[in-house]
Amino acid sequence: MPLFALICTDKADHEPLRKANREAHLAYLNATGCVTYAGPFLDNGTMTGSLVIIEAADKAAAEDWAANDPYALAGLFAKVRIEEWKKVIG
């Protein structure tokens, strides 16, 4: 199954919104069974976005998965970029 990278950028000054939805976001990542890697981008220790690598049938399925992430539903992201990704090392 193809891999997709979700590159998400938080809206400015939305760290409280991120923290308020973090448990639901982590539960979603763990419950779906398609997440290969995931973690936040940091700027001097402050979370500013996310990188999530998922397995999905196609880009439309990856977009649907991303749209249902609790962070997305809460309006945390200013931008979400979804790209098919090929693992080479690791």
Side-chain angles (χ1 to χ4, degrees):
M1 191 171 309
L3 294 170
F4 292 87
L6 287 63
I7 304 147
C8 309
T9 304
D10 292 1
K11 293 177 181 173
D13 301 318
H14 274 65
E15 189 175 17
L17 182 61
R18 173 179 273 275
K19 287 181 178 179
N21 289 279
R22 186 168 172 78
E23 285 187 40
H25 166 74
L26 294 175
Y28 181 71
L29 269 60
N30 287 312
T32 59
C34 66
V35 177
T36 304
Y37 300 102
F41 291 115
L42 302 174
D43 182 9
N44 292 319
T46 299
M47 293 178 281
T48 60
S50 299
L51 172 64
V52 182
I53 307 294
I54 65 168
E55 292 183 5
D58 53 31
K59 190 169 183 176
E63 290 169 345
D64 183 61
W65 187 93
N68 287 292
D69 179 340
Y71 279 167
L73 294 172
L76 175 63
F77 301 129
K79 180 179 177 185
V80 176
R81 187 174 132 209
I82 300 173
E83 300 285 343
E84 189 168 354
W85 180 74
K86 181 179 178 180
K87 180 180 173 183
V88 175
I89 297 174

